[in-house]
Amino acid sequence: MFDKGALHAVRFGLVDAAYDYDGDDWAGDVLAPWLRERPSFVATVRRVGAPDMHAAPLAAEDSWALYALSRVVDLLLLDHQPARNDEAAWVGPGAYGALADAFGGWWPHGAAYHPFLHEIVEVVPADDPAEPPSVVREWWPGFLCNALLVTRGGVTVRAGAEVLDPAVAAGSPLYFTWRRRYRRAVDLSHGWGSNSQWRTGFRRDYLADGAFHYNVDGAGRPDDHWDGLTPAEVADLVRYRAGTLVDRGGDAWPFDTRVRDRATI
């Protein structure tokens, strides 16, 4: 679907350019001219985002190109996250919004907390231990390209301790994620060499046909799992991408599992 060389165009033209940039308008200086030269890349991302694509296979090379784009997104999100003391700003907070706009990104602003839509950055304990999660702060909005979830929104939630353990939900390893400032990320590219790491597939999640489709390229179901977790625990690890009450560490394997839920937005 993507033009030949799309992966390398994103890797060298956007990811490396984010590392090398020392100006104050990355969106104008780097992103805008890159997009002007590659309108077919934007058009292809939008085609992959079509609702019916949740049931269609994607060639490995196309998934790698989307993964490269997700690396750009992760870099641009760093300016929106709680920073460690030794981390400086990256390319400025406006760059992420410019990227989302360039792909026709949309977001259900004000939607109630849901693991499909929201990544937990922080948990405020509620007095009622059974209180369900509710959004109390947005660190960054997520965005969908048509029906394809490109990235979730980062939020602080309030919840009871029987629903979310504050330390676990906000601090356990975050799967399907290349980089975060505030917590450990676990990604299939980690540990590979400078070239091999880019042959990593993008996790595709869709809001389509009245359902949340998580990790549609996974071949397994939660009850296929065999490493000591229950099917419900496996499904939650795919939904939340992290532990909620129990820290599963960084050695669980949710990468091959798909989940489908009825949509609630």
Side-chain angles (χ1 to χ4, degrees), residues 72-235:
V72 180
V73 172
D74 275 8
L75 283 176
L76 301 189
L77 287 178
L78 293 176
D79 283 320
H80 296 262
Q81 296 166 15
R84 296 183 180 132
N85 292 333
D86 60 346
E87 286 202 80
W90 276 77
V91 297
Y96 169 66
L99 180 74
D101 289 346
F103 288 92
W106 68 277
W107 192 242
H109 290 282
Y113 171 78
H114 195 282
F116 182 91
L117 298 173
H118 298 115
E119 173 183 321
I120 296 172
V121 177
E122 184 180 39
V123 178
V124 177
D127 292 336
D128 179 359
E131 181 175 321
S134 59
V135 176
V136 298
R137 174 180 176 176
E138 181 181 78
W139 292 83
W140 68 85
F143 82 91
L144 293 102
C145 181
N146 292 335
L148 174 69
L149 179 68
V150 178
T151 192
R152 299 182 298 170
V155 293
T156 296
V157 298
R158 181 175 56 247
E162 294 177 355
V163 181
L164 294 176
D165 179 288
V168 173
S172 61
L174 191 65
Y175 285 86
F176 301 95
T177 305
W178 173 61
R179 183 170 179 179
R180 289 294 182 266
R181 274 183 164 180
Y182 58 92
R183 71 193 298 177
R184 179 185 174 190
V186 179
D187 186 77
L188 287 176
S189 71
H190 293 164
W192 292 92
S194 59
N195 289 320
S196 297
Q197 64 179 280
W198 293 95
R199 288 174 173 81
T200 300
F202 175 69
R203 167 174 161 161
R204 289 194 295 154
D205 291 7
Y206 287 83
L207 172 57
D209 296 340
F212 296 122
H213 303 269
Y214 300 87
N215 197 28
V216 299
D217 297 307
R221 298 176 301 177
D223 53 3
D224 296 330
H225 217 263
W226 51 267
D227 68 354
L229 302 182
T230 68
E233 289 169 335
V234 175

Side-chain angles (χ1 to χ4, degrees), residues 6-60:
L7 161 62
H8 296 294
V10 178
R11 175 184 173 184
F12 297 114
L14 294 179
V15 177
D16 285 1
Y19 280 107
D20 296 338
Y21 186 70
D22 61 0
D24 57 8
D25 185 16
W26 185 87
D29 295 339
V30 177
L31 178 64
W34 190 94
L35 290 169
R36 281 197 298 270
E37 294 174 5
R38 296 169 181 84
S40 65
F41 185 88
V42 176
T44 303
V45 174
R46 291 183 176 181
R47 284 203 302 276
V48 176
D52 61 346
M53 283 296 295
H54 81 270
L58 201 63

